[in-house]
Amino acid sequence: MLLKNLRPANDYDRFATETLEPWDMLFVARIRQLAREIPPGALADIGTATAVVPVRLAADPALADWSFIGVDLDPAMLEEGVPRIEALGLSSRIELKVGDALALPFEDGALAMAVSRATLHHLPDKALSLKEMFRVLRPGGIALVHDMRRDAPQALLDRFTRMRAEANYPPTHLEEKVTLDEARALVAEAGVDAFSTVFSPNAGLGAMGFEILLKKPVCA
C-alpha cells in the first residue's frame, strides 16, 4: 500500500515543484550518473505523485533513449501531472500508472531502473517495498531510494521546517522517518543487503537524507 498524500493534488504539485526542487535535482543528478552504467530501458518512479521526477528526467537530453513510468496509488495525483506532460510534449515517453508500492504493477525483470524519492517513509511495510523494487529489476538493473532521516542534523531539519512554512506547509513528521541504521536494517530485512549500499552524505542538503542503492546481479 502506498499512502495517499493528505494535501490536494494541485497544492502538493506546487510544493513539489518549488520547495522540494533542490532535493529533486540531487535525485535527478544521481539517476543520470547511474543510468550511464547500464543500457537504456524503462525507468519507474515509485510514489511519483504529480510526476515531477519523470518530467525532469524525460526532459534531460542525457536520458533521451529511456522511457519513464510514474506509479502512484492516488489517481488524482497522477491526473494533476498530465497537463505538464502534455504541454512539454512528453506523452510518448512518460506513462502514468496507478499502482501499489507493495505490489508493483510490473512483471519480474521488467525495468532497467526503479527509483523513489521521499516515499519510503509513508509505507507500512518498507522492507517489502524494497523487495518489490528489486524483483522488478532486470538482471544488471538498478534501484535507487532517497528519503529523509529522522536523525538528520538539526540545522538542516530547522531549515526544512522554515522552507515548508514559507510554502504554507506544516512541519514534517519526524516520527515516521527512519534513521540511517534503520535504513540498513530494512535492506537486510528485505533480503537484498548483499546487493546494496546505504549511506548519507556528510554535508550539504543531501545530509538531511539517505540513499539506498540496489544493483541486481547480471546472473540473478
Side-chain angles (χ1 to χ4, degrees):
M1 180 180 183
L2 176 58
L3 301 182
K4 293 185 179 183
N5 197 290
L6 297 179
R7 303 296 286 255
N10 61 345
D11 193 14
Y12 177 81
D13 185 67
R14 177 182 55 81
F15 177 68
T17 54
E18 297 174 6
T19 305
L20 298 182
E21 182 178 24
W23 289 276
D24 272 355
M25 299 316 292
L26 288 173
F27 191 48
V28 167
R30 183 66 168 133
I31 292 170
R32 186 191 301 116
Q33 178 187 42
L34 293 167
R36 291 198 293 264
E37 299 180 9
I38 59 176
L43 181 155
D45 179 38
I46 313 304
T48 197
T50 58
V52 173
V53 167
V55 166
R56 294 195 196 281
L57 293 171
D60 189 336
L63 299 172
D65 294 330
W66 288 73
S67 61
F68 303 96
I69 308 159
V71 179
D72 203 277
L73 189 65
D74 190 347
M77 284 288 178
L78 296 176
E79 290 167 9
E80 184 69 22
V82 170
R84 180 187 299 111
I85 292 170
E86 293 178 343
L88 293 172
L90 297 173
S91 299
S92 64
R93 298 191 55 217
I94 300 176
E95 176 187 1
L96 299 182
K97 189 183 288 277
V98 176
D100 190 333
L102 304 186
L104 290 173
F106 303 107
E107 299 293 329
D108 295 359
L111 303 177
M113 291 187 71
V115 305
S116 182
R117 197 196 69 75
T119 295
L120 186 71
H121 67 269
H122 289 298
L123 303 176
D125 193 335
K126 298 171 179 58
L128 178 57
S129 73
L130 296 174
K131 189 173 183 179
E132 274 291 281
M133 291 179 77
F134 192 77
R135 175 186 66 79
V136 300
L137 293 179
R138 70 189 185 193
I142 293 173
L144 178 70
V145 174
H146 280 191
D147 211 329
M148 185 175 173
R149 292 172 56 180
R150 191 171 72 248
D151 54 345
Q154 188 61 48
L156 283 176
L157 294 175
D158 292 342
R159 179 178 177 182
F160 188 50
T161 296
R162 290 193 298 271
M163 292 172 73
R164 291 176 68 99
E166 290 168 2
N168 196 32
Y169 249 63
T172 191
H173 294 284
L174 277 180
E175 68 277 3
E176 65 184 6
K177 310 301 190 292
V178 302
T179 67
L180 189 58
D181 284 343
E182 287 168 348
R184 293 190 178 104
L186 285 172
V187 169
E189 183 183 345
V192 294
D193 46 323
F195 315 107
S196 73
T197 304
V198 182
F199 84 102
S200 179
N202 293 323
L205 289 176
M208 199 170 76
F210 60 85
E211 172 178 296
I212 297 175
L213 178 64
L214 306 177
K215 294 187 175 183
K216 196 165 193 175
V218 174
C219 60

XYZ file of all heavy atoms in Angstrom, residues 3-4 27 41 62 65 68 80 88-89 97 107 138 145 149 159 168-169 198-199 202 212-213 219:
203
model
N 0.479 5.115 0.763
C -0.490 6.004 1.373
C -0.703 7.257 0.532
O 0.239 7.813 -0.035
C -0.016 6.402 2.775
C 0.195 5.239 3.743
C 0.612 5.776 5.106
C -1.065 4.408 3.876
N -1.928 7.709 0.451
C -2.236 8.902 -0.312
C -1.763 10.152 0.433
O -1.814 10.225 1.655
C -3.743 8.999 -0.565
C -4.281 7.906 -1.474
C -5.746 8.134 -1.773
C -6.291 7.065 -2.710
N -7.699 7.303 -3.061
N 18.482 14.215 -6.729
C 17.985 12.893 -7.102
C 18.166 12.655 -8.603
O 18.675 11.616 -9.027
C 16.508 12.794 -6.705
C 15.910 11.430 -6.783
C 16.532 10.326 -6.244
C 14.659 11.257 -7.384
C 15.956 9.064 -6.289
C 14.070 10.007 -7.437
C 14.718 8.910 -6.893
N 16.567 1.692 -20.888
C 15.388 0.852 -20.784
C 14.273 1.628 -20.123
O 14.219 2.860 -20.206
N 20.396 13.731 -21.792
C 21.253 12.588 -21.487
C 20.456 11.298 -21.328
O 21.024 10.200 -21.382
C 22.058 12.857 -20.213
N 17.180 8.135 -24.567
C 16.873 6.766 -25.003
C 16.087 5.968 -23.964
O 15.833 4.771 -24.168
C 18.178 6.025 -25.331
C 18.893 6.620 -26.538
O 18.207 7.156 -27.425
O 20.135 6.556 -26.576
N 9.839 6.291 -19.358
C 9.567 6.556 -17.943
C 8.122 6.215 -17.587
O 7.203 6.427 -18.375
C 9.861 8.024 -17.628
C 11.269 8.412 -17.973
C 11.558 9.009 -19.189
C 12.317 8.136 -17.106
C 12.867 9.335 -19.531
C 13.622 8.449 -17.439
C 13.891 9.052 -18.658
N -3.152 15.280 -12.008
C -2.605 16.630 -11.877
C -1.335 16.794 -12.701
O -1.017 17.905 -13.159
C -2.318 16.928 -10.400
C -1.824 18.335 -10.118
C -2.876 19.410 -10.331
O -4.090 19.078 -10.286
O -2.485 20.578 -10.552
N 4.670 19.767 -22.421
C 6.079 19.618 -22.775
C 6.300 18.602 -23.892
O 7.451 18.345 -24.281
C 6.880 19.202 -21.527
C 6.966 20.257 -20.418
C 7.613 19.674 -19.170
C 7.739 21.487 -20.896
N 5.228 18.028 -24.406
C 5.341 17.067 -25.492
C 5.997 15.768 -25.085
O 6.681 15.130 -25.888
N 0.782 5.319 -14.178
C 0.139 4.043 -13.848
C -0.266 4.051 -12.374
O 0.551 4.329 -11.496
C 1.129 2.901 -14.115
C 0.561 1.504 -14.034
C 1.666 0.469 -14.237
C 2.167 0.392 -15.652
N 1.280 -0.464 -16.491
N 5.957 -7.085 -14.230
C 6.459 -8.448 -14.185
C 7.887 -8.469 -13.637
O 8.585 -7.448 -13.627
C 6.451 -9.060 -15.593
C 5.074 -9.146 -16.233
C 4.165 -10.133 -15.512
O 4.697 -11.120 -14.953
O 2.941 -9.918 -15.506
N 15.467 -5.850 -14.105
C 16.079 -6.845 -14.976
C 17.479 -7.157 -14.425
O 18.033 -6.375 -13.630
C 16.184 -6.311 -16.405
C 17.209 -5.198 -16.560
C 17.148 -4.546 -17.928
N 18.236 -3.576 -18.070
C 18.298 -2.664 -19.052
N 17.316 -2.594 -19.950
N 19.314 -1.840 -19.124
N 16.741 4.693 -3.913
C 15.793 5.282 -2.968
C 16.479 6.421 -2.236
O 17.572 6.239 -1.677
C 15.298 4.232 -1.940
C 14.432 4.901 -0.874
C 14.535 3.116 -2.638
N 16.050 11.430 6.779
C 16.464 10.750 8.004
C 15.810 11.364 9.235
O 15.710 12.582 9.350
C 17.980 10.885 8.187
C 18.813 10.160 7.202
C 20.277 10.514 7.359
N 20.784 10.278 8.708
C 22.034 10.512 9.080
N 22.908 10.999 8.205
N 22.420 10.260 10.309
N 16.041 24.179 8.864
C 15.955 24.851 7.567
C 14.786 24.319 6.751
O 14.044 25.091 6.119
C 17.263 24.652 6.807
C 17.286 25.302 5.423
C 18.629 25.098 4.756
N 18.643 25.640 3.418
C 19.679 25.576 2.580
N 20.814 25.002 2.982
N 19.614 26.086 1.367
N 3.595 27.391 3.098
C 2.331 27.146 3.788
C 2.092 25.660 4.014
O 0.973 25.163 3.910
C 1.154 27.761 3.007
C -0.103 27.881 3.859
O -0.023 28.085 5.078
N -1.258 27.765 3.234
N 3.195 24.949 4.322
C 3.131 23.540 4.645
C 3.520 23.356 6.104
O 4.434 24.028 6.590
C 4.094 22.737 3.752
C 3.404 21.843 2.752
C 2.595 22.380 1.757
C 3.557 20.467 2.799
C 1.965 21.559 0.835
C 2.933 19.638 1.870
C 2.133 20.198 0.899
O 1.511 19.387 -0.004
N 24.113 1.580 1.459
C 23.287 2.548 2.178
C 24.212 3.585 2.785
O 25.144 3.250 3.508
C 22.467 1.868 3.305
C 21.582 2.893 4.006
C 21.630 0.722 2.740
N 23.970 4.860 2.455
C 24.838 5.891 3.015
C 24.108 7.230 3.057
O 23.034 7.404 2.455
C 26.129 6.028 2.194
C 26.000 6.907 0.978
C 26.484 8.208 0.994
C 25.391 6.436 -0.174
C 26.353 9.014 -0.126
C 25.265 7.239 -1.293
C 25.754 8.533 -1.269
N 27.934 13.609 4.176
C 28.363 14.267 5.419
C 27.978 15.740 5.472
O 27.967 16.335 6.543
C 29.878 14.141 5.581
C 30.319 12.715 5.817
O 29.636 11.961 6.502
N 31.455 12.330 5.238
N 19.554 4.539 -0.533
C 19.636 3.086 -0.663
C 19.832 2.785 -2.143
O 19.007 3.181 -2.976
C 18.367 2.389 -0.147
C 18.181 2.641 1.358
C 18.423 0.888 -0.435
C 16.874 2.083 1.910
N 20.913 2.114 -2.469
C 21.225 1.751 -3.841
C 21.264 0.233 -3.943
O 21.999 -0.432 -3.198
C 22.575 2.341 -4.250
C 23.076 2.021 -5.658
C 22.150 2.623 -6.708
C 24.503 2.525 -5.840
N 23.645 -12.161 -13.221
C 23.352 -13.592 -13.184
C 22.080 -13.912 -12.421
O 21.684 -15.077 -12.330
C 24.517 -14.362 -12.567
S 24.904 -13.866 -10.875
